[in-house]
Amino acid sequence: MFPRLSDPYPLQASIEREFPGLVNGPGMLLVTAAPGDGKTEIALFAERVLGRASGTSGLAMLLPTMATTDAMHRRLVRHAGHNWRGMAPVARLHSLAWLDADYTPEDLTPSLDNPALVSEWLRGAHRGLLAGIAIGTWDQAVRAVLPHRYMAMRWLGLSGKTVILDEAHAYDAHGLQRTVILLEWLGRLGVPVVVLSATLTSRIATSLLNAYRHGAGHPPLQEVTPTYPGWTFTDHATGETTSRGPYPSPRATRLDIRTHPYTPTRQATGDDERSRRILDILQPPALQPRDPWGGSHRV
């Protein structure tokens, strides 16, 4: 699936080794790891495993911002070219997608020369999720849980796909509430889901998993403590939940903490002891500018 990935990280290797044996149909996979630990590759591999077991042939990836959506769209186009057979249009779903000349050329007729090109009909309002592969901002799916005229069309697009929610930690309180409702409906419909996050608290992780489980008809879990890096999978049919991790991270670094005591003063001025110490830390003497007479001064 990934031609350039010859030496997977321990987290990726664990998913490749253990996850397929746990999947007998739909379910929800929660992956927690720091940025750069290969969560995107894990999500695409899990989509392949879950899709085959569940009978879903499409993919919907949802991100919190337009900028991350644009960058991920280019990755998905390359991924589809390597792993999907035939025409695989990759729809980009947000309000400013049409501004990208590569995504919106003058001729919108799909061809073998550009199999990822999305036809003009799929670019219409509320239709983008009907494409085989759709990547968009988070609100494109969340609008399906809001009562409006075309919500059924959005559910039609989501129900035949594996849904990937990236950066689940980026939502505010309102967004989290809507995400919980979305996961409950996805669980009710038996849609396989992959949730990715770099910093997810135990409370939020438990609420997301329990929302999917509630939709699938299973009792809530008491508490889920995410591991970093690690993953948790709950099965849609049986409700059995499996957690793995933490795994060693090849990007682990050592953090040294140094304290610099100072005597506080009542008046905060630019020349007090605290300011001098901060300047000394941020601007080492070797990098401080020097005046023409050979002395040094602070800026």
mmCIF file of all heavy atoms in Angstrom, residues 166-216:
data_model
loop_
_atom_site.group_PDB
_atom_site.id
_atom_site.type_symbol
_atom_site.label_atom_id
_atom_site.label_comp_id
_atom_site.label_asym_id
_atom_site.label_seq_id
_atom_site.Cartn_x
_atom_site.Cartn_y
_atom_site.Cartn_z
ATOM 1 N N ASP A 166 -9.835 12.908 11.495
ATOM 2 C CA ASP A 166 -8.463 13.267 11.864
ATOM 3 C C ASP A 166 -8.473 14.463 12.818
ATOM 4 O O ASP A 166 -9.344 15.329 12.752
ATOM 5 C CB ASP A 166 -7.661 13.598 10.608
ATOM 6 C CG ASP A 166 -6.161 13.522 10.849
ATOM 7 O OD1 ASP A 166 -5.753 13.218 11.989
ATOM 8 O OD2 ASP A 166 -5.390 13.759 9.905
ATOM 9 N N GLU A 167 -7.469 14.482 13.698
ATOM 10 C CA GLU A 167 -7.286 15.580 14.661
ATOM 11 C C GLU A 167 -8.547 15.803 15.489
ATOM 12 O O GLU A 167 -9.067 16.919 15.588
ATOM 13 C CB GLU A 167 -6.867 16.857 13.937
ATOM 14 C CG GLU A 167 -5.549 16.711 13.178
ATOM 15 C CD GLU A 167 -5.051 18.025 12.621
ATOM 16 O OE1 GLU A 167 -5.316 19.071 13.235
ATOM 17 O OE2 GLU A 167 -4.393 18.003 11.569
ATOM 18 N N ALA A 168 -9.017 14.735 16.100
ATOM 19 C CA ALA A 168 -10.240 14.819 16.899
ATOM 20 C C ALA A 168 -10.081 15.715 18.117
ATOM 21 O O ALA A 168 -11.081 16.140 18.706
ATOM 22 C CB ALA A 168 -10.660 13.417 17.348
ATOM 23 N N HIS A 169 -8.859 16.031 18.496
ATOM 24 C CA HIS A 169 -8.630 16.900 19.651
ATOM 25 C C HIS A 169 -8.845 18.375 19.318
ATOM 26 O O HIS A 169 -8.841 19.215 20.228
ATOM 27 C CB HIS A 169 -7.187 16.725 20.145
ATOM 28 C CG HIS A 169 -6.175 16.957 19.068
ATOM 29 N ND1 HIS A 169 -5.761 15.961 18.204
ATOM 30 C CD2 HIS A 169 -5.498 18.065 18.689
ATOM 31 C CE1 HIS A 169 -4.877 16.451 17.352
ATOM 32 N NE2 HIS A 169 -4.708 17.731 17.627
ATOM 33 N N ALA A 170 -9.024 18.702 18.040
ATOM 34 C CA ALA A 170 -9.081 20.108 17.632
ATOM 35 C C ALA A 170 -10.461 20.732 17.769
ATOM 36 O O ALA A 170 -10.617 21.922 17.515
ATOM 37 C CB ALA A 170 -8.609 20.238 16.184
ATOM 38 N N TYR A 171 -11.469 19.977 18.163
ATOM 39 C CA TYR A 171 -12.824 20.509 18.200
ATOM 40 C C TYR A 171 -13.083 21.215 19.532
ATOM 41 O O TYR A 171 -12.595 20.799 20.579
ATOM 42 C CB TYR A 171 -13.852 19.389 18.016
ATOM 43 C CG TYR A 171 -13.574 18.506 16.831
ATOM 44 C CD1 TYR A 171 -13.687 17.126 16.919
ATOM 45 C CD2 TYR A 171 -13.185 19.057 15.614
ATOM 46 C CE1 TYR A 171 -13.429 16.320 15.826
ATOM 47 C CE2 TYR A 171 -12.929 18.256 14.526
ATOM 48 C CZ TYR A 171 -13.050 16.887 14.632
ATOM 49 O OH TYR A 171 -12.778 16.096 13.550
ATOM 50 N N ASP A 172 -13.894 22.276 19.472
ATOM 51 C CA ASP A 172 -14.305 22.946 20.698
ATOM 52 C C ASP A 172 -15.466 22.172 21.321
ATOM 53 O O ASP A 172 -15.834 21.080 20.877
ATOM 54 C CB ASP A 172 -14.681 24.401 20.419
ATOM 55 C CG ASP A 172 -15.786 24.524 19.369
ATOM 56 O OD1 ASP A 172 -16.425 23.505 19.054
ATOM 57 O OD2 ASP A 172 -16.011 25.642 18.869
ATOM 58 N N ALA A 173 -16.057 22.739 22.392
ATOM 59 C CA ALA A 173 -17.117 22.029 23.110
ATOM 60 C C ALA A 173 -18.308 21.748 22.204
ATOM 61 O O ALA A 173 -18.887 20.643 22.220
ATOM 62 C CB ALA A 173 -17.544 22.838 24.337
ATOM 63 N N HIS A 174 -18.683 22.730 21.396
ATOM 64 C CA HIS A 174 -19.800 22.533 20.478
ATOM 65 C C HIS A 174 -19.468 21.479 19.434
ATOM 66 O O HIS A 174 -20.275 20.595 19.126
ATOM 67 C CB HIS A 174 -20.162 23.853 19.802
ATOM 68 C CG HIS A 174 -21.204 23.716 18.719
ATOM 69 N ND1 HIS A 174 -22.538 23.514 18.986
ATOM 70 C CD2 HIS A 174 -21.092 23.739 17.362
ATOM 71 C CE1 HIS A 174 -23.213 23.424 17.859
ATOM 72 N NE2 HIS A 174 -22.365 23.556 16.856
ATOM 73 N N GLY A 175 -18.249 21.559 18.873
ATOM 74 C CA GLY A 175 -17.841 20.589 17.865
ATOM 75 C C GLY A 175 -17.769 19.180 18.425
ATOM 76 O O GLY A 175 -18.137 18.211 17.750
ATOM 77 N N LEU A 176 -17.295 19.061 19.660
ATOM 78 C CA LEU A 176 -17.230 17.742 20.280
ATOM 79 C C LEU A 176 -18.623 17.160 20.464
ATOM 80 O O LEU A 176 -18.845 15.959 20.223
ATOM 81 C CB LEU A 176 -16.508 17.832 21.625
ATOM 82 C CG LEU A 176 -16.424 16.536 22.426
ATOM 83 C CD1 LEU A 176 -15.649 15.470 21.662
ATOM 84 C CD2 LEU A 176 -15.779 16.791 23.791
ATOM 85 N N GLN A 177 -19.569 17.987 20.867
ATOM 86 C CA GLN A 177 -20.936 17.501 21.047
ATOM 87 C C GLN A 177 -21.511 16.989 19.729
ATOM 88 O O GLN A 177 -22.148 15.930 19.676
ATOM 89 C CB GLN A 177 -21.814 18.613 21.609
ATOM 90 C CG GLN A 177 -23.251 18.194 21.873
ATOM 91 C CD GLN A 177 -24.125 19.372 22.255
ATOM 92 O OE1 GLN A 177 -23.967 20.473 21.722
ATOM 93 N NE2 GLN A 177 -25.047 19.151 23.177
ATOM 94 N N ARG A 178 -21.281 17.720 18.644
ATOM 95 C CA ARG A 178 -21.783 17.294 17.341
ATOM 96 C C ARG A 178 -21.058 16.035 16.866
ATOM 97 O O ARG A 178 -21.655 15.174 16.204
ATOM 98 C CB ARG A 178 -21.622 18.418 16.317
ATOM 99 C CG ARG A 178 -22.448 19.651 16.622
ATOM 100 C CD ARG A 178 -23.924 19.316 16.684
ATOM 101 N NE ARG A 178 -24.726 20.424 17.163
ATOM 102 C CZ ARG A 178 -26.027 20.344 17.398
ATOM 103 N NH1 ARG A 178 -26.659 19.194 17.211
ATOM 104 N NH2 ARG A 178 -26.697 21.388 17.842
ATOM 105 N N THR A 179 -19.774 15.922 17.187
ATOM 106 C CA THR A 179 -19.032 14.726 16.804
ATOM 107 C C THR A 179 -19.568 13.499 17.524
ATOM 108 O O THR A 179 -19.654 12.408 16.944
ATOM 109 C CB THR A 179 -17.543 14.907 17.108
ATOM 110 O OG1 THR A 179 -17.055 16.075 16.423
ATOM 111 C CG2 THR A 179 -16.733 13.711 16.656
ATOM 112 N N VAL A 180 -19.916 13.661 18.783
ATOM 113 C CA VAL A 180 -20.497 12.555 19.541
ATOM 114 C C VAL A 180 -21.798 12.085 18.891
ATOM 115 O O VAL A 180 -22.040 10.877 18.740
ATOM 116 C CB VAL A 180 -20.726 12.981 21.009
ATOM 117 C CG1 VAL A 180 -21.626 11.988 21.735
ATOM 118 C CG2 VAL A 180 -19.392 13.111 21.736
ATOM 119 N N ILE A 181 -22.630 13.029 18.470
ATOM 120 C CA ILE A 181 -23.887 12.656 17.800
ATOM 121 C C ILE A 181 -23.601 11.961 16.475
ATOM 122 O O ILE A 181 -24.247 10.966 16.115
ATOM 123 C CB ILE A 181 -24.765 13.903 17.589
ATOM 124 C CG1 ILE A 181 -25.120 14.543 18.943
ATOM 125 C CG2 ILE A 181 -26.034 13.552 16.828
ATOM 126 C CD1 ILE A 181 -25.858 15.859 18.819
ATOM 127 N N LEU A 182 -22.624 12.485 15.724
ATOM 128 C CA LEU A 182 -22.255 11.864 14.450
ATOM 129 C C LEU A 182 -21.799 10.423 14.659
ATOM 130 O O LEU A 182 -22.216 9.514 13.926
ATOM 131 C CB LEU A 182 -21.149 12.681 13.785
ATOM 132 C CG LEU A 182 -20.539 12.091 12.509
ATOM 133 C CD1 LEU A 182 -21.560 12.038 11.382
ATOM 134 C CD2 LEU A 182 -19.302 12.891 12.084
ATOM 135 N N LEU A 183 -20.940 10.185 15.658
ATOM 136 C CA LEU A 183 -20.444 8.831 15.906
ATOM 137 C C LEU A 183 -21.571 7.898 16.334
ATOM 138 O O LEU A 183 -21.571 6.709 15.990
ATOM 139 C CB LEU A 183 -19.349 8.872 16.972
ATOM 140 C CG LEU A 183 -18.008 9.467 16.524
ATOM 141 C CD1 LEU A 183 -17.066 9.590 17.699
ATOM 142 C CD2 LEU A 183 -17.382 8.611 15.431
ATOM 143 N N GLU A 184 -22.529 8.422 17.080
ATOM 144 C CA GLU A 184 -23.661 7.584 17.480
ATOM 145 C C GLU A 184 -24.456 7.126 16.262
ATOM 146 O O GLU A 184 -24.852 5.956 16.152
ATOM 147 C CB GLU A 184 -24.561 8.347 18.447
ATOM 148 C CG GLU A 184 -25.717 7.519 18.972
ATOM 149 C CD GLU A 184 -26.529 8.267 20.017
ATOM 150 O OE1 GLU A 184 -26.061 9.318 20.509
ATOM 151 O OE2 GLU A 184 -27.639 7.795 20.337
ATOM 152 N N TRP A 185 -24.678 8.026 15.306
ATOM 153 C CA TRP A 185 -25.403 7.668 14.097
ATOM 154 C C TRP A 185 -24.572 6.713 13.235
ATOM 155 O O TRP A 185 -25.117 5.778 12.638
ATOM 156 C CB TRP A 185 -25.753 8.923 13.311
ATOM 157 C CG TRP A 185 -27.031 9.556 13.760
ATOM 158 C CD1 TRP A 185 -27.178 10.562 14.660
ATOM 159 C CD2 TRP A 185 -28.349 9.205 13.326
ATOM 160 N NE1 TRP A 185 -28.502 10.869 14.817
ATOM 161 C CE2 TRP A 185 -29.253 10.053 14.012
ATOM 162 C CE3 TRP A 185 -28.849 8.270 12.432
ATOM 163 C CZ2 TRP A 185 -30.624 9.983 13.821
ATOM 164 C CZ3 TRP A 185 -30.221 8.200 12.243
ATOM 165 C CH2 TRP A 185 -31.091 9.048 12.940
ATOM 166 N N LEU A 186 -23.279 6.931 13.150
ATOM 167 C CA LEU A 186 -22.428 6.025 12.382
ATOM 168 C C LEU A 186 -22.439 4.628 12.992
ATOM 169 O O LEU A 186 -22.433 3.614 12.276
ATOM 170 C CB LEU A 186 -21.002 6.573 12.315
ATOM 171 C CG LEU A 186 -20.810 7.858 11.499
ATOM 172 C CD1 LEU A 186 -19.391 8.376 11.641
ATOM 173 C CD2 LEU A 186 -21.152 7.640 10.029
ATOM 174 N N GLY A 187 -22.456 4.561 14.312
ATOM 175 C CA GLY A 187 -22.566 3.271 14.970
ATOM 176 C C GLY A 187 -23.904 2.608 14.703
ATOM 177 O O GLY A 187 -23.990 1.383 14.517
ATOM 178 N N ARG A 188 -24.976 3.400 14.657
ATOM 179 C CA ARG A 188 -26.293 2.848 14.383
ATOM 180 C C ARG A 188 -26.366 2.263 12.964
ATOM 181 O O ARG A 188 -27.013 1.230 12.737
ATOM 182 C CB ARG A 188 -27.349 3.935 14.563
ATOM 183 C CG ARG A 188 -28.780 3.493 14.339
ATOM 184 C CD ARG A 188 -29.202 2.486 15.413
ATOM 185 N NE ARG A 188 -29.082 3.043 16.740
ATOM 186 C CZ ARG A 188 -30.027 3.741 17.376
ATOM 187 N NH1 ARG A 188 -31.183 3.972 16.764
ATOM 188 N NH2 ARG A 188 -29.831 4.192 18.601
ATOM 189 N N LEU A 189 -25.698 2.916 12.029
ATOM 190 C CA LEU A 189 -25.724 2.475 10.631
ATOM 191 C C LEU A 189 -24.674 1.414 10.313
ATOM 192 O O LEU A 189 -24.633 0.914 9.193
ATOM 193 C CB LEU A 189 -25.529 3.672 9.695
ATOM 194 C CG LEU A 189 -26.650 4.710 9.700
ATOM 195 C CD1 LEU A 189 -26.255 5.913 8.855
ATOM 196 C CD2 LEU A 189 -27.955 4.119 9.194
ATOM 197 N N GLY A 190 -23.812 1.091 11.282
ATOM 198 C CA GLY A 190 -22.780 0.092 11.035
ATOM 199 C C GLY A 190 -21.678 0.572 10.123
ATOM 200 O O GLY A 190 -21.113 -0.216 9.351
ATOM 201 N N VAL A 191 -21.342 1.849 10.208
ATOM 202 C CA VAL A 191 -20.286 2.417 9.374
ATOM 203 C C VAL A 191 -18.951 2.277 10.113
ATOM 204 O O VAL A 191 -18.835 2.692 11.267
ATOM 205 C CB VAL A 191 -20.560 3.902 9.076
ATOM 206 C CG1 VAL A 191 -19.407 4.521 8.302
ATOM 207 C CG2 VAL A 191 -21.863 4.046 8.301
ATOM 208 N N PRO A 192 -17.935 1.698 9.510
ATOM 209 C CA PRO A 192 -16.627 1.621 10.166
ATOM 210 C C PRO A 192 -16.005 3.009 10.291
ATOM 211 O O PRO A 192 -16.104 3.837 9.376
ATOM 212 C CB PRO A 192 -15.806 0.712 9.247
ATOM 213 C CG PRO A 192 -16.503 0.750 7.936
ATOM 214 C CD PRO A 192 -17.948 1.003 8.202
ATOM 215 N N VAL A 193 -15.354 3.252 11.439
ATOM 216 C CA VAL A 193 -14.824 4.582 11.745
ATOM 217 C C VAL A 193 -13.402 4.449 12.271
ATOM 218 O O VAL A 193 -13.087 3.523 13.029
ATOM 219 C CB VAL A 193 -15.705 5.290 12.799
ATOM 220 C CG1 VAL A 193 -15.095 6.635 13.190
ATOM 221 C CG2 VAL A 193 -17.125 5.487 12.284
ATOM 222 N N VAL A 194 -12.546 5.393 11.870
ATOM 223 C CA VAL A 194 -11.194 5.523 12.405
ATOM 224 C C VAL A 194 -11.051 6.946 12.928
ATOM 225 O O VAL A 194 -11.307 7.907 12.193
ATOM 226 C CB VAL A 194 -10.116 5.234 11.339
ATOM 227 C CG1 VAL A 194 -8.721 5.375 11.942
ATOM 228 C CG2 VAL A 194 -10.305 3.843 10.747
ATOM 229 N N VAL A 195 -10.666 7.082 14.187
ATOM 230 C CA VAL A 195 -10.478 8.400 14.810
ATOM 231 C C VAL A 195 -9.004 8.550 15.153
ATOM 232 O O VAL A 195 -8.413 7.668 15.788
ATOM 233 C CB VAL A 195 -11.350 8.552 16.072
ATOM 234 C CG1 VAL A 195 -11.093 9.904 16.733
ATOM 235 C CG2 VAL A 195 -12.826 8.402 15.718
ATOM 236 N N LEU A 196 -8.416 9.677 14.744
ATOM 237 C CA LEU A 196 -7.005 9.958 14.982
ATOM 238 C C LEU A 196 -6.859 11.175 15.875
ATOM 239 O O LEU A 196 -7.603 12.152 15.732
ATOM 240 C CB LEU A 196 -6.274 10.210 13.658
ATOM 241 C CG LEU A 196 -6.457 9.179 12.546
ATOM 242 C CD1 LEU A 196 -5.726 9.643 11.289
ATOM 243 C CD2 LEU A 196 -5.975 7.815 12.983
ATOM 244 N N SER A 197 -5.893 11.123 16.782
ATOM 245 C CA SER A 197 -5.664 12.276 17.653
ATOM 246 C C SER A 197 -4.243 12.244 18.195
ATOM 247 O O SER A 197 -3.662 11.168 18.400
ATOM 248 C CB SER A 197 -6.665 12.301 18.812
ATOM 249 O OG SER A 197 -6.412 13.404 19.665
ATOM 250 N N ALA A 198 -3.704 13.433 18.447
ATOM 251 C CA ALA A 198 -2.381 13.549 19.041
ATOM 252 C C ALA A 198 -2.467 13.799 20.538
ATOM 253 O O ALA A 198 -1.580 13.394 21.292
ATOM 254 C CB ALA A 198 -1.590 14.671 18.366
ATOM 255 N N THR A 199 -3.497 14.484 20.997
ATOM 256 C CA THR A 199 -3.646 14.813 22.418
ATOM 257 C C THR A 199 -5.113 14.661 22.780
ATOM 258 O O THR A 199 -5.887 15.613 22.650
ATOM 259 C CB THR A 199 -3.175 16.248 22.711
ATOM 260 O OG1 THR A 199 -3.888 17.157 21.858
ATOM 261 C CG2 THR A 199 -1.689 16.394 22.458
ATOM 262 N N LEU A 200 -5.485 13.502 23.246
ATOM 263 C CA LEU A 200 -6.876 13.225 23.580
ATOM 264 C C LEU A 200 -6.955 12.803 25.044
ATOM 265 O O LEU A 200 -6.264 11.880 25.464
ATOM 266 C CB LEU A 200 -7.430 12.109 22.686
ATOM 267 C CG LEU A 200 -8.940 12.075 22.470
ATOM 268 C CD1 LEU A 200 -9.427 13.348 21.800
ATOM 269 C CD2 LEU A 200 -9.323 10.863 21.637
ATOM 270 N N THR A 201 -7.784 13.481 25.817
ATOM 271 C CA THR A 201 -7.930 13.143 27.223
ATOM 272 C C THR A 201 -8.745 11.867 27.381
ATOM 273 O O THR A 201 -9.454 11.432 26.472
ATOM 274 C CB THR A 201 -8.621 14.275 27.987
ATOM 275 O OG1 THR A 201 -9.966 14.424 27.497
ATOM 276 C CG2 THR A 201 -7.874 15.594 27.809
ATOM 277 N N SER A 202 -8.639 11.281 28.552
ATOM 278 C CA SER A 202 -9.388 10.058 28.828
ATOM 279 C C SER A 202 -10.893 10.302 28.739
ATOM 280 O O SER A 202 -11.642 9.465 28.226
ATOM 281 C CB SER A 202 -9.013 9.521 30.209
ATOM 282 O OG SER A 202 -9.772 8.387 30.541
ATOM 283 N N ARG A 203 -11.347 11.448 29.234
ATOM 284 C CA ARG A 203 -12.778 11.738 29.228
ATOM 285 C C ARG A 203 -13.314 11.834 27.805
ATOM 286 O O ARG A 203 -14.373 11.275 27.487
ATOM 287 C CB ARG A 203 -13.040 13.053 29.977
ATOM 288 C CG ARG A 203 -14.521 13.441 30.023
ATOM 289 C CD ARG A 203 -14.694 14.760 30.758
ATOM 290 N NE ARG A 203 -14.020 15.847 30.073
ATOM 291 C CZ ARG A 203 -14.559 16.540 29.075
ATOM 292 N NH1 ARG A 203 -15.775 16.245 28.640
ATOM 293 N NH2 ARG A 203 -13.899 17.525 28.512
ATOM 294 N N ILE A 204 -12.598 12.538 26.926
ATOM 295 C CA ILE A 204 -13.064 12.699 25.556
ATOM 296 C C ILE A 204 -12.975 11.373 24.798
ATOM 297 O O ILE A 204 -13.878 11.008 24.036
ATOM 298 C CB ILE A 204 -12.266 13.799 24.847
ATOM 299 C CG1 ILE A 204 -12.528 15.150 25.517
ATOM 300 C CG2 ILE A 204 -12.630 13.858 23.366
ATOM 301 C CD1 ILE A 204 -11.751 16.295 24.918
ATOM 302 N N ALA A 205 -11.886 10.619 25.008
ATOM 303 C CA ALA A 205 -11.747 9.326 24.342
ATOM 304 C C ALA A 205 -12.893 8.400 24.729
ATOM 305 O O ALA A 205 -13.466 7.696 23.879
ATOM 306 C CB ALA A 205 -10.403 8.693 24.696
ATOM 307 N N THR A 206 -13.252 8.410 26.013
ATOM 308 C CA THR A 206 -14.347 7.557 26.476
ATOM 309 C C THR A 206 -15.673 7.989 25.867
ATOM 310 O O THR A 206 -16.485 7.149 25.453
ATOM 311 C CB THR A 206 -14.436 7.596 28.008
ATOM 312 O OG1 THR A 206 -13.174 7.207 28.572
ATOM 313 C CG2 THR A 206 -15.513 6.654 28.524
ATOM 314 N N SER A 207 -15.902 9.295 25.779
ATOM 315 C CA SER A 207 -17.167 9.781 25.222
ATOM 316 C C SER A 207 -17.292 9.445 23.739
ATOM 317 O O SER A 207 -18.378 9.094 23.255
ATOM 318 C CB SER A 207 -17.293 11.292 25.437
ATOM 319 O OG SER A 207 -16.302 11.998 24.703
ATOM 320 N N LEU A 208 -16.198 9.504 22.994
ATOM 321 C CA LEU A 208 -16.248 9.174 21.569
ATOM 322 C C LEU A 208 -16.514 7.690 21.351
ATOM 323 O O LEU A 208 -17.358 7.303 20.526
ATOM 324 C CB LEU A 208 -14.931 9.582 20.901
ATOM 325 C CG LEU A 208 -14.596 11.088 20.880
ATOM 326 C CD1 LEU A 208 -13.251 11.319 20.223
ATOM 327 C CD2 LEU A 208 -15.677 11.887 20.186
ATOM 328 N N LEU A 209 -15.811 6.857 22.085
ATOM 329 C CA LEU A 209 -16.023 5.419 21.948
ATOM 330 C C LEU A 209 -17.425 5.014 22.396
ATOM 331 O O LEU A 209 -18.083 4.190 21.756
ATOM 332 C CB LEU A 209 -14.967 4.660 22.751
ATOM 333 C CG LEU A 209 -13.560 4.619 22.141
ATOM 334 C CD1 LEU A 209 -12.548 4.128 23.158
ATOM 335 C CD2 LEU A 209 -13.531 3.724 20.906
ATOM 336 N N ASN A 210 -17.887 5.600 23.495
ATOM 337 C CA ASN A 210 -19.216 5.245 23.997
ATOM 338 C C ASN A 210 -20.328 5.719 23.060
ATOM 339 O O ASN A 210 -21.399 5.103 22.997
ATOM 340 C CB ASN A 210 -19.422 5.813 25.394
ATOM 341 C CG ASN A 210 -18.746 4.964 26.454
ATOM 342 O OD1 ASN A 210 -18.456 3.787 26.237
ATOM 343 N ND2 ASN A 210 -18.481 5.551 27.606
ATOM 344 N N ALA A 211 -20.091 6.821 22.351
ATOM 345 C CA ALA A 211 -21.095 7.284 21.391
ATOM 346 C C ALA A 211 -21.271 6.250 20.285
ATOM 347 O O ALA A 211 -22.403 5.911 19.902
ATOM 348 C CB ALA A 211 -20.680 8.629 20.805
ATOM 349 N N TYR A 212 -20.174 5.736 19.766
ATOM 350 C CA TYR A 212 -20.261 4.711 18.719
ATOM 351 C C TYR A 212 -20.884 3.432 19.280
ATOM 352 O O TYR A 212 -21.730 2.792 18.623
ATOM 353 C CB TYR A 212 -18.871 4.427 18.159
ATOM 354 C CG TYR A 212 -18.867 3.526 16.945
ATOM 355 C CD1 TYR A 212 -19.058 4.045 15.670
ATOM 356 C CD2 TYR A 212 -18.675 2.154 17.082
ATOM 357 C CE1 TYR A 212 -19.057 3.229 14.548
ATOM 358 C CE2 TYR A 212 -18.670 1.327 15.968
ATOM 359 C CZ TYR A 212 -18.856 1.863 14.704
ATOM 360 O OH TYR A 212 -18.867 1.044 13.605
ATOM 361 N N ARG A 213 -20.493 3.060 20.485
ATOM 362 C CA ARG A 213 -21.035 1.847 21.100
ATOM 363 C C ARG A 213 -22.534 1.987 21.363
ATOM 364 O O ARG A 213 -23.294 1.034 21.193
ATOM 365 C CB ARG A 213 -20.297 1.561 22.409
ATOM 366 C CG ARG A 213 -18.857 1.114 22.234
ATOM 367 C CD ARG A 213 -18.150 1.004 23.579
ATOM 368 N NE ARG A 213 -18.828 0.064 24.455
ATOM 369 C CZ ARG A 213 -18.616 -1.247 24.464
ATOM 370 N NH1 ARG A 213 -17.731 -1.774 23.619
ATOM 371 N NH2 ARG A 213 -19.267 -2.039 25.291
ATOM 372 N N HIS A 214 -22.965 3.162 21.775
ATOM 373 C CA HIS A 214 -24.392 3.373 22.026
ATOM 374 C C HIS A 214 -25.191 3.205 20.740
ATOM 375 O O HIS A 214 -26.278 2.603 20.730
ATOM 376 C CB HIS A 214 -24.615 4.760 22.630
ATOM 377 C CG HIS A 214 -26.046 5.027 22.984
ATOM 378 N ND1 HIS A 214 -26.904 5.692 22.139
ATOM 379 C CD2 HIS A 214 -26.763 4.701 24.087
ATOM 380 C CE1 HIS A 214 -28.096 5.777 22.706
ATOM 381 N NE2 HIS A 214 -28.042 5.189 23.890
ATOM 382 N N GLY A 215 -24.655 3.737 19.645
ATOM 383 C CA GLY A 215 -25.336 3.557 18.371
ATOM 384 C C GLY A 215 -25.385 2.107 17.942
ATOM 385 O O GLY A 215 -26.352 1.673 17.299
ATOM 386 N N ALA A 216 -24.341 1.345 18.304
ATOM 387 C CA ALA A 216 -24.304 -0.069 17.940
ATOM 388 C C ALA A 216 -25.109 -0.943 18.895
ATOM 389 O O ALA A 216 -25.238 -2.144 18.662
ATOM 390 C CB ALA A 216 -22.857 -0.556 17.895
#
